[in-house]
Amino acid sequence: MVLLPGLGPQHAGSGPRHRALQRLEVGLLARSFTVFILARPTGLARGTTIGELAARYAATITTHFSSPVDLIGVSTGGSIALQLAIDHPNAMNRLVLVSAAFRLGDDGRTAQQAIAENLRLRRPRRAAATMLATTTTRPGHRTLRHATGLALGRLALGQRSEDLIAILEAEDHFDVQADLSRVASPTLVIGGGQDGYYPTDLFTRTAAGVADGTFVELPDRSHLGLATDRRVARTIRDFLTPTPATADTPTTPATRH
C-alpha cells in the first residue's frame, strides 16, 4: 500500500527523528502490509492546487510501481488521494480516506486560514496552537492541545513554512463533491466523531457520493490518532484483505423466470 500522510512534522524532513515518527505512524499497518510513504513535497509554488499535487503523486506511483496500488490518504493526504482517484484512476486499486472528506468543514477551513496567516507572519507557535486545538471538538482537550502547540511551535509543524503555506492554501480551495461519482475504486472512509476539521456529515456524504463507498465512524476519536488506532488498522486490514472463497461452499444455480 501507499500512504499519503497529513501535515505532521515527520513528513517535513528525512532525519532519524522523522523516520522514527513515520515508523510509529504505520507500525500497526506494517504488520500486515508493505507500506510505502510518499512524504510532503517540497519547493512548492504559491498557487499550487490539490490537483497538481495529486498529479505529482500519481507520476511517482506509476513510475515506481508496475501495477495499481492500494492508496491510503490521511487528513490533507486524504484530500490529495481523493483528487488522485478522480483524475488518475488507473494508478490505484482501492482507496482509504482517514480523517478526510471531499472538502474541509467550515471550522477546519477557518483554522487552516489562520494557520497559514500565522506562518506568513512568522508566528509558528500560534500556528501550531491553532492546528492542534482544531483537531478536537472537546473544549478541555482543545485547551490542552492549544497549550501543547504553543510549547512545540515548529516541532509540531516542520521547518518548511513556505511549502506548508502552499499546501494549506491549496486545501482551502479544495472541494470535489461534484466529482465524487468519478471515483471508481472501492472506497473506505474512516472518521472520528470528535474531529474539529470535519463534521461527521462530510464523511458520510463522501462515502455516499462515490460509486462503492463505506463509512466507518469512531465516535470517541478526534482528528489525531486515527492512523495509529488499533480499530482503524483492523478496519483497513479487513477492507484491503479479500475474504478467500471457501472451496466446499455450496453454490446456488441461477433460476430463470
Side-chain angles (χ1 to χ4, degrees), residues 157-227:
L157 300 169
Q159 298 297 319
R160 298 180 179 273
S161 292
E162 291 305 315
D163 289 330
L164 181 53
I165 291 170
I167 294 174
L168 291 170
E169 290 178 343
E171 194 168 28
D172 184 51
H173 298 92
F174 174 75
D175 186 341
V176 293
Q177 182 177 16
D179 295 320
L180 288 176
S181 61
R182 294 170 53 191
V183 178
S185 302
T187 301
L188 171 66
V189 181
I190 305 176
Q194 307 295 327
D195 192 329
Y197 285 97
Y198 296 96
T200 301
D201 77 290
L202 287 182
F203 297 134
T204 303
R205 289 158 61 190
T206 301
V210 302
D212 182 5
T214 301
F215 171 48
V216 174
E217 181 184 16
L218 278 70
D220 59 325
R221 295 311 298 262
S222 65
H223 191 77
L224 287 177
L226 283 179

Side-chain angles (χ1 to χ4, degrees), residues 77-244:
S79 299
I80 299 170
L82 185 54
Q83 186 73 66
L84 196 154
I86 292 168
D87 294 342
H88 311 276
N90 294 333
M92 59 190 303
N93 183 19
R94 290 163 293 191
L95 174 65
V96 179
L97 303 177
V98 180
S99 300
F102 64 82
R103 67 168 174 85
L104 283 164
D106 293 340
D107 290 345
R109 181 168 288 169
T110 298
Q112 291 205 169
Q113 290 170 349
I115 294 164
E117 179 64 12
N118 278 312
L119 289 174
R120 282 191 288 267
L121 295 175
R122 301 183 184 277
R123 300 190 300 210
R125 293 186 183 277
R126 294 189 188 184
T130 299
M131 178 175 282
L132 292 183
T134 311
T135 59
T136 181
T137 58
R138 295 174 178 173
H141 291 189
R142 288 178 71 94
T143 300
L144 178 60
R145 293 182 185 181
H146 186 275
T148 301
L150 287 174
L152 292 177
R154 289 200 178 277
L155 289 177
L157 300 169
Q159 298 297 319
R160 298 180 179 273
S161 292
E162 291 305 315
D163 289 330
L164 181 53
I165 291 170
I167 294 174
L168 291 170
E169 290 178 343
E171 194 168 28
D172 184 51
H173 298 92
F174 174 75
D175 186 341
V176 293
Q177 182 177 16
D179 295 320
L180 288 176
S181 61
R182 294 170 53 191
V183 178
S185 302
T187 301
L188 171 66
V189 181
I190 305 176
Q194 307 295 327
D195 192 329
Y197 285 97
Y198 296 96
T200 301
D201 77 290
L202 287 182
F203 297 134
T204 303
R205 289 158 61 190
T206 301
V210 302
D212 182 5
T214 301
F215 171 48
V216 174
E217 181 184 16
L218 278 70
D220 59 325
R221 295 311 298 262
S222 65
H223 191 77
L224 287 177
L226 283 179
T228 54
D229 189 299
R230 291 183 180 276
R231 295 169 294 173
V232 173
R234 184 167 55 248
T235 300
I236 294 173
R237 181 196 63 202
D238 293 345
F239 176 72
L240 296 181
T241 304
T243 303

Side-chain angles (χ1 to χ4, degrees), residues 13-23:
S14 57
R17 179 176 66 88
H18 301 98
R19 289 193 292 272
L21 290 172
Q22 289 169 9
R23 284 193 293 270

Side-chain angles (χ1 to χ4, degrees), residues 48-78:
T48 296
T49 66
I50 293 294
E52 290 168 344
L53 292 171
R56 255 172 107 155
Y57 280 121
T60 299
I61 290 171
T62 55
T63 297
H64 289 86
F65 299 93
S66 59
S67 59
V69 301
D70 291 330
L71 190 64
I72 299 180
V74 180
S75 188
T76 298

